[in-house]
Amino acid sequence: MSRWKKAAAAFGILWLGVGMLTGCGKVTPRSLARDVVKNSENVKSADADMMVDFQGSIPFDTFLEGVSVDLTMKADLNLKCVQDPETAAAISGSCQISLMSSQYDLDIESYTVKEEEQYVTYLKMMDQWIKRSEPERQMKTDTVTQIDLFREIENGGITAELDEKMEKVNGKETYVMHLTADGEFLESLFLASKETMGDASDIPDLQGTKAELDVYVYKDSHRLAKMEIDGAELGAALFNGEEQGEHVLVTSFRMAVTVNSYNEAETIRVPQEAVENAVESAGDGGTADFFGKISEEISGDTDDDWEDMSGEDSSETEEAIQNEDGSYTIQSDIGSLQATIVLPENFEYESSTSVYLSAVCYSEESLMGLQYCYDTTSTMEEMAEYYCDLGYLEGEESYTEIVSSGELTMEVNDLVIHYVAIQYNYLEEGVEYPCLECYAWTKPEELDSPFVIGFSYMGEKDPEQPPKMLVSQIYEGITLTKAIS
């Protein structure tokens, strides 16, 4: 289910803009641009906030004609860049990605500093520090302030309209300029931003795209105050890149960088925790490594919850063992328990690690998913409380007629199965699609940790079988034992 990786791509987009600490501005009448160029030449540091707000959907036309699921991403970051005495940059903040009923909350922390004639980026990923070194980098003041942009305005290469009214940013009056940026400029903008922040991965081809920009310049200092980008076309190009197949349908894409201060940022220091514990990156570093881990986590519906409860490191590459009879074997993260799984009829293997397995079932009328793993971090009581909580669905306009069975029990093959069934309708463009989520967990007395399965359904009509029968059939194919030494 590669479409789920679009959620990771959503997170990737915000990183493309984190280098826009000051500059990134666009056009303004030539006299103002000339002043901005002059006053930006002496910038030694900058502190800014960045916001990204994306709204879109992922089509499921391959399986259900006319059906799509909502994808949203919001990010709030603080960005600091120091050019003197030592060039360095720091990023901190959070990002929330929502895909249908799943939400991913990600904390972001990164530092780029110069060490022994090379630039080193420390990036915190899923509680693990990653380190990447690069001998040559473009971390100049011009890159930070985007002086080249204002030079283009000054020289007449870019045309903009100056608003008659002044606006306030951070309590200060600003001039406001409006312009349309073409793909060539947008591409150079994001490329400079990525280089500044230590990202060696490629950016999509933005030629032929356009975006509306509003640029604010402080009246008192004639320096960039704020830049806002508004463009669904740009968002679509950034999210979809050159991938083949189904694309994200972008409803809206907004990005804003607000410069809070110039020449006031303090010296940036890498936390000792990062220096002592960072693992050297073997990939492109920066976003390429970070987004790769997120993509693995989200792909195939393997969200944060399943990674956390299995105790699995998301960098794990070992897959479940496939046995001669077609069944699969996974273990608990500490290796003391194992589960042998026979997939239900019509289900196909989707993805796995040594501690986790997912399967899917496609038809013309429905889409179903299954996840299996041991939960080594929760008690049976904690699992009941967690899976019976409907907070992730309530308050969302897309989900209607939400009904929960509450915690129920039954026996399957001498196992006492606890389960909850949650039914609701998913609203898409005025059409409601029946959905069902079932979570079922059990803990044999001789085993140390509970085992849990997650079942999801979305279709044109209600599932043919009741939840109890579905859970029973799934557990009929599961054998739980201690691992063989």
Side-chain angles (χ1 to χ4, degrees):
M1 294 172 62
S2 61
R3 61 188 53 77
W4 295 106
K5 296 185 180 180
K6 295 298 183 181
F11 180 69
I13 297 312
L14 73 91
W15 205 266
L16 293 177
V18 296
M20 298 183 286
L21 297 173
T22 64
C24 299
K26 302 307 167 230
V27 297
T28 172
R30 295 185 181 184
S31 58
L32 183 57
R34 186 183 310 114
D35 290 341
V36 173
V37 171
K38 179 180 179 181
N39 294 329
S40 297
E41 289 176 344
N42 296 321
V43 169
K44 302 300 181 184
S45 69
D47 180 289
D49 293 324
M50 190 181 85
M51 178 280 297
V52 177
D53 189 343
F54 166 85
Q55 305 286 330
S57 61
I58 302 175
F60 274 73
D61 289 345
T62 301
F63 314 107
L64 297 172
E65 185 175 357
V67 177
S68 61
V69 295
D70 292 338
L71 170 63
T72 65
M73 187 273 288
K74 295 184 179 180
D76 292 289
L77 303 176
N78 177 257
L79 321 169
K80 291 181 174 64
C81 186
V82 176
Q83 301 292 313
D84 185 47
E86 289 287 343
T87 300
I91 307 166
S92 61
S94 62
C95 174
Q96 296 80 41
I97 302 171
S98 177
L99 179 62
M100 198 174 174
S101 61
S102 299
Q103 180 165 315
Y104 310 88
D105 297 309
L106 305 168
D107 293 327
I108 302 167
E109 188 174 359
S110 174
Y111 302 87
T112 299
V113 296
K114 193 172 185 179
E115 296 180 357
E116 299 179 355
E117 304 304 320
Q118 65 180 355
Y119 286 100
V120 180
T121 296
Y122 294 87
L123 173 64
K124 194 171 187 180
M125 310 164 45
M126 319 299 185
D127 295 325
Q128 171 66 59
W129 285 99
I130 302 296
K131 175 182 178 182
R132 178 178 181 272
S133 303
E134 189 174 6
E136 298 182 2
R137 288 282 305 285
Q138 297 297 319
M139 289 190 65
K140 302 178 181 178
T141 302
D142 287 5
T143 302
V144 176
T145 60
Q146 291 293 325
I147 291 180
D148 289 344
L149 163 66
F150 289 99
R151 286 180 178 145
E152 279 293 308
I153 300 170
E154 180 185 2
N155 297 331
I158 299 178
T159 303
E161 177 185 351
L162 179 62
D163 202 309
E164 295 181 359
K165 296 182 179 180
M166 305 284 282
E167 298 285 350
K168 286 194 174 182
V169 175
N170 288 328
K172 298 181 179 180
E173 287 194 331
T174 64
Y175 299 100
V176 185
M177 300 152 288
H178 311 286
L179 65 143
T180 300
D182 61 19
E184 182 178 357
F185 171 75
L186 293 169
E187 201 166 285
S188 65
L189 170 66
F190 284 116
L191 180 60
S193 301
K194 287 162 66 65
E195 288 179 349
T196 299
M197 302 315 298
D199 184 0
S201 58
D202 295 332
I203 62 171
D205 182 0
L206 302 181
Q207 297 298 320
T209 61
K210 293 182 179 180
E212 301 299 318
L213 286 86
D214 292 332
V215 180
Y216 302 72
V217 174
Y218 285 120
K219 181 180 178 181
D220 58 355
S221 65
H222 281 199
R223 287 175 175 157
L224 180 70
K226 182 179 181 180
M227 183 192 70
E228 295 179 337
I229 301 178
D230 189 347
E233 184 180 333
L234 170 62
L238 292 173
F239 276 83
N240 294 311
E242 298 179 357
E243 293 185 14
Q244 301 299 315
E246 297 178 47
H247 282 190
V248 172
L249 302 178
V250 180
T251 304
S252 66
F253 175 72
R254 296 189 305 113
M255 178 185 293
V257 177
T258 303
V259 184
N260 302 315
S261 65
Y262 291 94
N263 298 330
E264 295 181 8
E266 299 179 355
T267 301
I268 294 173
R269 301 187 185 282
V270 180
Q272 193 63 28
E273 173 194 3
V275 175
E276 295 177 351
N277 300 315
V279 176
E280 192 74 31
S281 168
D284 289 333
T287 62
D289 290 338
F290 202 6
F291 304 149
K293 292 176 81 73
I294 296 172
S295 179
E296 290 173 7
E297 182 177 322
I298 296 174
S299 177
D301 251 351
T302 60
D303 59 21
D304 286 337
D305 302 328
W306 294 88
E307 293 284 355
D308 291 343
M309 67 182 165
S310 69
E312 171 72 348
D313 184 331
S314 59
S315 64
E316 177 65 61
T317 58
E318 185 179 354
E319 296 183 347
I321 298 173
Q322 184 171 12
N323 304 306
E324 291 183 359
D325 61 0
S327 64
Y328 295 87
T329 298
I330 60 174
Q331 296 183 331
S332 61
D333 63 295
I334 56 177
S336 62
L337 309 175
Q338 72 177 35
T340 301
I341 300 165
V342 177
L343 298 179
E345 186 178 1
N346 297 325
F347 274 82
E348 299 177 357
Y349 171 90
E350 169 68 6
S351 64
S352 70
T353 67
S354 61
V355 302
Y356 169 90
L357 185 141
S358 69
V360 292
C361 177
Y362 304 133
S363 73
E364 295 181 356
E365 297 181 344
S366 66
L367 168 65
M368 294 183 285
L370 261 177
Q371 300 86 30
Y372 305 78
C373 78
Y374 278 100
D375 184 343
T376 60
T377 64
S378 305
T379 64
M380 291 288 285
E381 292 75 17
E382 290 171 338
M383 295 176 76
E385 180 180 359
Y386 179 81
Y387 289 119
C388 290
D389 184 1
L390 301 180
Y392 68 101
L393 291 173
E394 295 173 340
E396 295 288 339
E397 295 182 358
S398 298
Y399 308 113
T400 63
E401 301 183 26
I402 304 170
V403 178
S404 173
S405 67
E407 183 181 6
L408 302 172
T409 61
M410 64 176 172
E411 287 193 17
V412 179
N413 293 341
D414 296 326
L415 293 175
V416 178
I417 309 298
H418 299 247
Y419 71 99
V420 59
I422 304 168
Q423 293 179 285
Y424 55 90
N425 289 333
Y426 177 71
L427 182 63
E428 174 70 22
E429 297 183 353
V431 180
E432 291 187 333
Y433 298 94
C435 296
L436 170 65
E437 294 181 20
C438 289
Y439 302 97
W441 57 100
T442 187
K443 181 183 176 299
E445 292 184 1
E446 67 273 16
L447 302 187
D448 300 330
S449 302
F451 185 84
V452 59
I453 64 97
F455 170 85
S456 60
Y457 169 94
M458 183 175 72
E460 296 180 349
K461 57 183 180 180
D462 291 328
E464 295 181 356
Q465 297 176 315
K468 183 176 181 179
M469 184 176 295
L470 288 168
V471 172
S472 177
Q473 290 178 349
I474 294 169
Y475 265 97
E476 286 283 353
I478 299 175
T479 303
L480 305 177
T481 62
K482 293 183 178 180
I484 300 175
S485 304

